[in-house]
Amino acid sequence: MIDSVDVSVVIPCHNGAQTITRQLDALAAQRTAARFEVLVADNRSTDDSRAVVTDHPLGARLVDAHAAPGINVARNAGLEAARGALILFCDADDVVHAGWIEAFWTAYSHGARAMGGALRRVRSDGTATWQRELNEGLDFLPWPTGANCAIARSVLDQIGIFDPELRGGGDETDLFWRAQLAGHELVLVDEATIDYHQRPTARSTHRQRVAFGRSHVRLFLRFRDRGMPRRVAGRSAWYLASTLARGIRSGDLRTARTSMGAQASIIVGRVQQSLRSGTFYV
């Protein structure tokens, strides 16, 4: 084991035996000036995930995250065991690109304390599109994707860790909004890139987007007193119409249909959670 580390890479894992090897391979190939460790926080896997991690030559540390189900339970268990001043997060079913650790470490060395990276969104058919900006769209603060982000230990000591009550989305949003509200700028590190694998079926994508929509309502209830505005139905209708119009003008109807379908699923989730919460956010 390395005596001291600069960077801890935390990978939450639940039944990742079929995919995590490629992520561990990518991390083993990293070239960086930082001393780093990799922690795989196993959250009640019932497949061979633990054996795959143990047998991999990278030497990642397995962390027991069995206290309760949930990705944030796993992330927090990894955080508790991590020894680095900078914590990086990636997922068991994605693949970090060459230079990923070094990009975040360089940004940290220049003063960044809360960061997100770029995504190469890979569809099940192998095609891909790039996202080289932080997530926006809730008319409040930006946030990174949890599968490609970094935060300093000093910030976590100030604001706390992931909220395990947030399941199905909104977790990294909550964490990085709290960081920004505490005075830490969120920085896009464009050189920290990953292959971000999308859900394989329309049904699983729909379920994921519905969960995101539910999380938006929960976030509104948490942050409305800090300035997050209410979303009304007219704004969502305008977004759907403008997405279709852009697709018609550009001739890219496939992307327009995908975006409209994703937004429609999000609206379904917002309606569901609005009814459950006794509020209105669509």
Side-chain angles (χ1 to χ4, degrees):
M1 181 182 293
I2 303 173
D3 291 334
S4 63
V5 297
D6 303 306
V7 175
S8 297
V9 180
V10 174
I11 308 175
C13 179
H14 172 72
N15 290 344
Q18 298 301 312
T19 60
I20 198 170
T21 295
R22 63 190 184 190
Q23 184 69 287
L24 297 177
D25 287 346
L27 289 166
Q30 296 286 302
R31 296 292 178 265
T32 176
R35 296 162 296 180
F36 73 94
E37 63 178 354
V38 177
L39 301 96
V40 178
D42 181 62
N43 185 235
R44 301 188 174 188
S45 293
T46 57
D47 64 1
D48 293 330
S49 293
R50 297 177 70 87
V52 170
V53 173
T54 300
D55 293 342
H56 194 278
L58 174 61
R61 280 202 287 151
L62 266 172
V63 177
D64 188 338
H66 284 57
I71 191 170
N72 291 327
V73 173
R75 287 170 173 161
N76 289 339
L79 282 173
E80 184 177 352
R83 297 176 294 149
L86 178 63
I87 315 296
L88 276 53
F89 294 95
C90 60
D91 284 351
D93 57 348
D94 298 322
V95 181
V96 302
H97 292 183
W100 181 72
I101 292 176
E102 180 64 14
F104 278 132
W105 178 244
T106 298
Y108 175 82
S109 299
H110 286 86
R113 293 296 179 265
M115 295 161 269
L119 311 175
R120 181 175 175 266
R121 293 179 172 272
V122 183
R123 306 183 186 94
S124 57
D125 63 2
T127 60
T129 56
W130 278 95
Q131 178 184 333
R132 292 190 175 275
E133 62 274 334
L134 296 166
N135 297 305
E136 302 267 6
L138 295 179
D139 301 322
F140 189 41
L141 297 169
W143 70 93
T145 298
N148 188 13
C149 61
I151 193 164
R153 168 70 70 181
S154 59
V155 177
L156 295 170
D157 289 342
Q158 179 185 3
I159 68 169
I161 55 180
F162 287 95
D163 186 345
E165 297 300 317
L166 284 172
R167 299 183 63 184
D171 36 28
E172 65 267 37
T173 312
D174 170 76
L175 183 79
F176 282 91
W177 281 2
R178 285 189 276 127
Q180 290 172 86
L181 291 169
H184 303 282
E185 180 185 5
L186 178 60
V187 176
L188 173 68
V189 182
D190 187 67
E191 298 83 2
T193 58
I194 69 168
D195 274 2
Y196 183 53
H197 290 271
Q198 307 296 279
R199 297 298 172 96
T201 66
R203 177 174 293 182
S204 60
T205 300
H206 170 72
R207 286 198 301 265
Q208 181 187 48
R209 296 293 177 174
V210 169
F212 286 168
R214 292 174 184 154
S215 76
H216 295 168
V217 180
R218 291 192 290 267
L219 288 167
F220 170 69
L221 293 173
R222 288 182 175 215
F223 290 96
R224 59 184 172 183
D225 292 340
R226 305 296 298 274
M228 181 179 177
R230 188 183 299 273
R231 179 62 67 95
V232 296
R235 177 67 183 275
S236 296
W238 174 86
Y239 178 86
L240 290 171
S242 62
T243 300
L244 177 60
R246 286 195 301 270
I248 292 172
R249 288 196 300 270
S250 67
D252 188 2
L253 292 178
R254 177 187 178 183
T255 299
R257 285 196 301 268
T258 300
S259 297
M260 290 176 66
Q263 184 64 19
S265 298
I266 287 172
I267 292 171
V268 169
R270 288 175 178 169
V271 170
Q272 290 177 351
Q273 194 62 35
S274 291
L275 294 172
R276 294 172 183 173
S277 304
T279 188
F280 182 74
Y281 184 95
V282 180

